[in-house]
Amino acid sequence: METLPCHGCKGLCCGPVPVTEKELKKIQKKIKTMPRKIRVELENQPRLFGTCIFYDINQDRCGIHSVRPEVCQAFGYHQDLVCFRKPELATKEKLIFKERPIGHLSIDFTWKNF
């Protein structure tokens, strides 16, 4: 599968991110095991309003990539989650979530929850 051209977007597509209870628990576990220096650096970065709290603006990538929510994994490949820089990759039908989201990262869940 061809990859998305995510570098250079500064997280414009990253948020607000719906998250399920199961995903939230995985993220909390990841944050707890993250080296303190990396966590503090990620937490204190300025971001565009609504951008996911885990988007690493300095590295121009997801700071929790290995445990990112399902919607993030599907972004760019589903017709209702089109990447504006490469819309031709959105060939899959509408995304149906397996579980119901319990909130959104950056809105309902912020750094104080981790």
Side-chain angles (χ1 to χ4, degrees):
M1 181 180 295
E2 195 173 350
T3 59
L4 297 172
C6 294
H7 294 288
C9 293
K10 300 295 180 199
L12 291 173
C13 303
C14 301
V17 177
V19 63
T20 67
E21 187 171 357
K22 186 177 178 181
E23 291 168 337
L24 186 63
K25 287 178 181 179
K26 284 182 181 179
I27 294 168
Q28 288 171 327
K29 185 177 179 181
K30 169 88 172 176
I31 297 302
K32 285 179 182 176
T33 63
M34 188 179 279
R36 181 161 174 71
K37 182 180 177 183
I38 293 172
R39 177 198 160 120
V40 170
E41 183 180 306
L42 188 61
E43 184 176 354
N44 292 320
Q45 291 178 12
R47 291 175 188 82
L48 297 173
F49 179 75
T51 299
C52 179
I53 61 173
F54 299 115
Y55 176 74
D56 186 338
I57 196 135
N58 294 336
Q59 300 293 320
D60 196 19
R61 64 181 179 164
C62 178
I64 58 163
H65 191 268
S66 63
V67 294
R68 69 195 186 282
E70 179 183 17
V71 70
C72 300
Q73 295 175 38
F75 184 81
Y77 303 105
H78 289 266
Q79 293 173 2
D80 55 343
L81 297 168
V82 177
C83 171
F84 72 94
R85 292 175 71 187
K86 215 156 193 189
E88 66 275 10
L89 293 181
T91 58
K92 297 181 180 181
E93 295 294 318
K94 184 176 179 175
L95 177 65
I96 308 288
F97 288 103
K98 297 173 187 164
E99 295 180 43
R100 183 181 171 101
I102 58 168
H104 292 81
L105 297 176
S106 300
I107 296 172
D108 304 303
F109 301 103
T110 62
W111 275 103
K112 69 178 186 212
N113 299 104
F114 300 94

